[in-house]
Amino acid sequence: MSKNIIDHIVADKLNGLDFSFKSEYWNKMQQELDANCAQTNTCASNTIGGFISGSLITTFVAVISIIVFFPWAMNNNPVDTQNEMYKDTAIEVVAPVIPAKNINIADNNTQEKTSIKPTETKSTKAIIKSNKKHKKAKAKIRIVKTEKKEAVVKQTIAAEPIVENNNQETKPTIDSVAVDQKTTTDPFEKNNIDTTKPIQKDAAVLETDSIFIPDGKILGNDKEKVEKETKVEVNSGPKPVKHVKTKSKPIKRVFKRRKGILYKMGIRK
Amino acid sequence: MIDSKQNKLDRLIAGCKDNDRKAQEELYKLYFGLMMSIGMRYCGNWNDAMEVVNSGFLKIYTKIESYQGKGSFEGWMRRTMVNTALDFIKQNKNHESDIDDVNAYEENLFIDNDAVFELDKEEIMKIVQQLPTMSRAVFMLNVIEGYKHKEISEQLGISEGTSHWHLQNARKLLKEKIENFLNT
């Protein structure tokens, strides 16, 4: 008998070996299973496991949707944000420029407001149009401002003759003094001496109180009165534009959008 | 018949994947005999074999998700059980001292008695269980499972020479014990 024969005999005998099952074996196995479940928590009931896994999945999906939705919503709503920008700029332009009496500018601004409001819910084309309107309105404002400045300058220029008109009562005396001044300012020149006219005592008194300037301005004690009167008239008109400080436009931050996975998927524009 | 058996097995596998205790019990009943025979080959007594079998079934229940349906489920269970038995042997490893000389045995193992074919299965099993643990394991892995010495050495954490020696030792002891049994 060779070793192979021994191997064959043992293998054949052992392969044919069988052991009958008894319930006590399973009881022992069940105890081991319970012990293993207690150690590793792998035998939790399916309902609890399903509930926990379901709640976890729901939470995960909710978090992901929130994370994705907010940036998407903020990036895909440029109309409202831009219109808000226009609104803000309109208010900021209007608020400082409109004085109570400046009717022309106020009307222009109200027109501008009404021209912008309808574009709030329109598309980007409408925004471009409104933007043009906005620019036109701004140009109008500028024109009105320049006109206003010119008007103010004209008023100031016009105010000076008013000074003369207001001082009409004193003008004859002043004119006479002025006429006399030509002869009396340089008393040492012979040409200035008008020997035909008699010397007026009152004229000498007026010379000391007021000096006539050829461009119509008055210096001296009467100058203050005249200035007060002219100021009253000038202040009663529209306020000068130079005191109005317009707020600077808010800096619009423009970031270059990154073309991420949402752009590739077509969700983000 | 084969389809119904396969369907039953598939149902049991699915139940075990869902931690269904009834499916686990049915699978245990179905394969207890085969698994116990494997345990008895590698272990010296019934209690150790029972421990190995239950540990093997526990592994099967917990690792059944890794079974993808490719190949025989019985073969997968068998390999799992053998590995469990080998783990048990390695845990109780205190039998290296009985190696005398690796080259001491020659291949002249003959039993000149035809009565050996008349031996009962249980008698052979008792003889096998009397072998030293490592020699028995190497003999089973080489003769029954068909592993090579390199694989056996890797599985048991021994050298190939030691694996050879254990195999020769097992054959020599089996011959002596069978002859003694037949002579008595």
Side-chain angles (χ1 to χ4, degrees), chain B residues 149-162:
Chain B
H149 284 288
K150 189 178 179 182
E151 294 169 324
I152 293 167
S153 63
E154 287 172 359
Q155 292 252 3
L156 293 174
I158 58 174
S159 66
E160 282 188 54
T162 307

Side-chain angles (χ1 to χ4, degrees), chain A residues 113-162:
Chain A
K113 272 186 173 181
T114 50
S115 64
I116 289 167
K117 276 182 180 177
T119 60
E120 284 181 4
T121 55
K122 286 181 182 176
S123 61
T124 52
K125 288 181 180 177
I127 292 160
I128 291 160
K129 285 180 181 176
S130 65
N131 202 2
K132 286 178 181 176
K133 286 180 181 177
H134 187 73
K135 285 177 180 176
K136 285 179 182 177
K138 277 181 95 177
K140 282 181 182 177
I141 291 164
R142 283 175 191 165
I143 291 160
V144 169
K145 279 181 183 177
T146 52
E147 286 174 359
K148 187 66 193 169
K149 283 180 181 177
E150 286 173 0
V152 169
V153 171
K154 283 177 182 177
Q155 279 182 342
T156 51
I157 291 163
E160 288 173 359
I162 288 165

Side-chain angles (χ1 to χ4, degrees), chain A residues 2 16 25-26 32 37 42 61 83 118 143 158 173 188 236 261 267:
Chain A
S2 67
Y25 304 152
W26 172 246
E32 287 193 21
C37 289
T42 53
V61 168
N83 280 330
I143 291 160
T173 56
F188 296 104
S236 61
I261 192 166
I267 296 167

Side-chain angles (χ1 to χ4, degrees), chain A residues 22-243:
Chain A
K22 291 180 182 176
S23 59
E24 59 192 47
Y25 304 152
W26 172 246
N27 292 335
K28 198 175 177 181
M29 181 71 217
Q30 216 167 4
Q31 288 174 3
E32 287 193 21
L33 275 171
D34 291 337
N36 185 59
C37 289
Q39 283 179 354
T40 58
N41 290 326
T42 53
C43 300
S45 63
N46 290 331
T47 53
I48 294 169
F51 175 75
I52 292 167
S53 61
S55 60
L56 283 173
I57 288 166
T58 308
T59 310
F60 178 74
V61 168
V63 168
I64 291 294
S65 61
I66 288 165
I67 289 167
V68 171
F69 176 73
F70 275 100
W72 178 80
M74 289 183 78
N75 289 323
N76 279 319
N77 198 9
V79 175
D80 291 337
T81 52
Q82 283 186 1
N83 280 330
E84 282 178 7
M85 287 285 289
Y86 293 144
K87 271 186 177 179
D88 293 340
T89 53
I91 289 162
E92 285 171 2
V93 170
V94 167
V97 170
I98 294 176
K101 294 177 182 178
N102 197 349
I103 297 161
N104 291 328
I105 295 167
D107 288 336
N108 284 329
N109 288 323
T110 48
Q111 283 174 3
E112 185 192 18
K113 272 186 173 181
T114 50
S115 64
I116 289 167
K117 276 182 180 177
T119 60
E120 284 181 4
T121 55
K122 286 181 182 176
S123 61
T124 52
K125 288 181 180 177
I127 292 160
I128 291 160
K129 285 180 181 176
S130 65
N131 202 2
K132 286 178 181 176
K133 286 180 181 177
H134 187 73
K135 285 177 180 176
K136 285 179 182 177
K138 277 181 95 177
K140 282 181 182 177
I141 291 164
R142 283 175 191 165
I143 291 160
V144 169
K145 279 181 183 177
T146 52
E147 286 174 359
K148 187 66 193 169
K149 283 180 181 177
E150 286 173 0
V152 169
V153 171
K154 283 177 182 177
Q155 279 182 342
T156 51
I157 291 163
E160 288 173 359
I162 288 165
V163 171
E164 288 179 1
N165 293 327
N166 289 333
N167 294 329
Q168 276 179 354
E169 291 177 357
T170 56
K171 195 179 175 182
T173 56
I174 291 165
D175 284 340
S176 62
V177 170
V179 171
D180 292 336
Q181 190 187 18
K182 288 179 183 177
T183 58
T184 55
T185 46
D186 196 355
F188 296 104
E189 282 188 9
K190 290 179 180 179
N191 296 328
N192 291 333
I193 300 165
D194 191 356
T195 54
T196 58
K197 286 189 177 180
I199 297 165
Q200 294 179 356
K201 291 179 182 178
D202 295 334
V205 173
L206 283 169
E207 278 180 17
T208 54
D209 292 335
S210 62
I211 300 163
F212 178 75
I213 294 168
D215 59 359
K217 287 186 179 177
I218 294 164
L219 300 174
N221 293 333
D222 290 337
K223 182 192 165 189
E224 291 177 1
K225 291 177 183 177
V226 170
E227 280 178 355
K228 279 180 184 178
E229 288 173 359
T230 52
K231 274 183 183 178
V232 168
E233 285 189 4
V234 169
N235 290 332
S236 61
K239 286 182 180 178
V241 182
K242 63 181 180 181
H243 296 297

